[in-house]
Amino acid sequence: MNNRNKVKKNILLVVNPISGGVDKVELIETVKQYAATVHLEMIQYDTTGEADIANIRALYDKYKPERILVAGGDGTIKLVAEAMEHHDVILGVLPAGSANGFAVDLDLPTTLEENLEIAFHNNFMEMDMIVINGKKSLHLSDLGINAELIKNYEKSEVRGKWGYALQTFTTLNELEEPFTATITANNRTSTCVARMIVIANSQKYGTGVTINPDGVMNDGKFELVILKNLDLFIFGKIITGNIPVNFEDVEIISTDKATIETSFPVSFQIDGEYCGTETKLNIDILHQQMKVAVP
């Protein structure tokens, strides 16, 4: 018999070893055992922060996995999505980050066993990605106070929700003046003063708070959620996930293309990763760019 017919089918598991500050040994072993029960060979890749995209592509080319599972937070999922943007492969999400907003938006369950069932199953969504100044975003990016919080969190030693809580206090203490933003979208240009502008492909932050009630991840549009007079009390509530956005000083613009220019350099983050300061953002949508396993 030709040995080629006996080639075992593979899955690739991409693990971020440091996401969420939790050990992944048990998770990896559970995935390996599950893969074996469905006759798949598991190939593991641990991200390092260096050449990850090239390494993931090389593994894909070598092993041609049936699908790719991602154990990490929003940043790890985005990394794999970028690596696979020209390949027809389904991603399965195993939430294991400090903030798992993307998993919250997909309505993924909380247990690993349930998520494995979904990740290995054939239900999937063809979802959009946003491109901001050439960088991809799957979920929620923003300018302003929340990006400042993420910058402080990334510099701190304490991980997880407690780390976010500590840095919320620091961020609010060091709060600067609001910025002026000139926004062009839907053939209209407007100017506003804002504390924060969210560029949203979906609805919720990892805390569970709904920041963009009308967000749909595969409709070919994104929303700009402009939070104008964001006082400290309301920001604290948003960060802790206690309040849906329904107060008056919010404007939501739905579009497929936009530019934002700010009066001074403002902190900016993509999918939970701090990206420095920006004075101009060019934003586009990539419609139905990636396949992701869903319940």
Side-chain angles (χ1 to χ4, degrees):
M1 186 189 277
N2 189 329
N3 279 336
R4 284 183 184 176
N5 296 334
K6 292 182 174 179
V7 171
K8 195 157 188 183
K9 291 182 173 179
N10 303 310
I11 61 147
L12 176 60
L13 173 66
V14 177
V15 181
N16 181 339
I18 62 168
S19 65
V22 290
D23 186 38
K24 309 291 190 308
V25 172
E26 199 177 318
L27 179 148
I28 292 161
E29 192 50 42
T30 305
V31 176
K32 200 172 196 170
Q33 287 170 7
Y34 192 102
T37 66
V38 291
H39 311 295
L40 290 170
E41 189 79 43
M42 189 188 93
I43 291 98
Q44 181 183 338
Y45 175 73
D46 289 3
T47 62
T48 62
E50 288 183 26
D52 286 321
I53 286 179
N55 292 338
I56 291 165
R57 282 179 184 158
L59 286 170
Y60 181 84
D61 291 341
K62 182 176 179 182
Y63 293 103
K64 297 288 188 287
E66 297 280 293
R67 61 186 59 206
I68 298 178
L69 273 52
V70 187
D74 293 345
T76 316
I77 298 162
K78 187 186 67 154
L79 177 85
V80 177
E82 284 198 52
M84 292 291 103
E85 65 179 324
H86 299 304
H87 296 82
D88 185 17
V89 63
I90 299 171
L91 303 191
V93 176
L94 306 176
S98 303
N100 299 302
F102 184 63
V104 170
D105 264 310
L106 291 176
D107 282 329
L108 292 181
T110 52
T111 71
L112 176 59
E113 287 70 23
E114 288 173 294
N115 279 313
L116 280 171
E117 289 282 342
I118 293 164
F120 278 91
H121 231 66
N122 286 328
N123 283 354
F124 65 86
M125 176 204 291
E126 290 188 85
M127 62 166 285
D128 303 335
M129 291 175 82
I130 302 173
V131 185
I132 308 168
N133 289 3
K135 292 180 177 174
K136 309 285 194 326
S137 168
L138 286 181
H139 181 237
L140 293 169
S141 305
D142 52 58
L143 276 166
I145 187 171
N146 188 56
E148 277 288 319
L149 168 65
I150 287 169
K151 177 181 77 175
N152 291 334
Y153 175 78
E154 286 183 1
K155 286 192 295 192
S156 80
E157 299 293 309
V158 185
R159 289 278 161 250
K161 287 192 173 171
W162 180 235
Y164 274 114
L166 288 172
Q167 294 314 316
T168 300
F169 181 75
T170 306
T171 305
L172 294 178
N173 255 356
E174 297 169 354
L175 201 60
E176 293 182 1
E177 289 300 300
F179 57 91
T180 302
T182 303
I183 297 169
T184 303
N186 303 326
N187 300 316
R188 246 187 94 230
T189 299
S190 58
T191 301
C192 61
V193 175
R195 280 278 180 205
M196 178 168 149
I197 298 176
V198 184
I199 302 147
N201 190 31
S202 56
Q203 295 188 358
K204 297 172 186 170
Y205 278 110
T207 56
V209 68
T210 299
I211 195 84
N212 178 33
D214 303 323
V216 178
M217 288 195 272
N218 59 353
D219 63 351
K221 290 184 179 289
F222 60 88
E223 283 71 43
L224 300 177
V225 184
I226 304 152
L227 298 116
K228 295 174 181 175
N229 301 325
L230 191 58
D231 69 34
L232 306 192
F233 175 72
I234 288 175
F235 179 65
K237 287 245 177 188
I238 285 174
I239 292 306
T240 53
N242 290 333
I243 185 172
V245 173
N246 58 4
F247 47 95
E248 288 169 9
D249 289 311
V250 179
E251 182 185 351
I252 298 180
I253 300 169
S254 186
T255 185
D256 59 2
K257 190 179 181 68
T259 59
I260 303 172
E261 295 187 62
T262 60
S263 51
F264 55 82
V266 179
S267 282
F268 174 58
Q269 68 90 12
I270 292 181
D271 293 343
E273 185 184 341
Y274 184 68
C275 298
T277 58
E278 295 287 353
T279 54
K280 185 173 184 179
L281 300 179
N282 294 304
I283 312 159
D284 287 285
I285 196 89
L286 294 172
H287 189 35
Q288 296 184 343
Q289 179 73 13
M290 62 172 271
K291 292 179 178 175
V292 60
V294 292

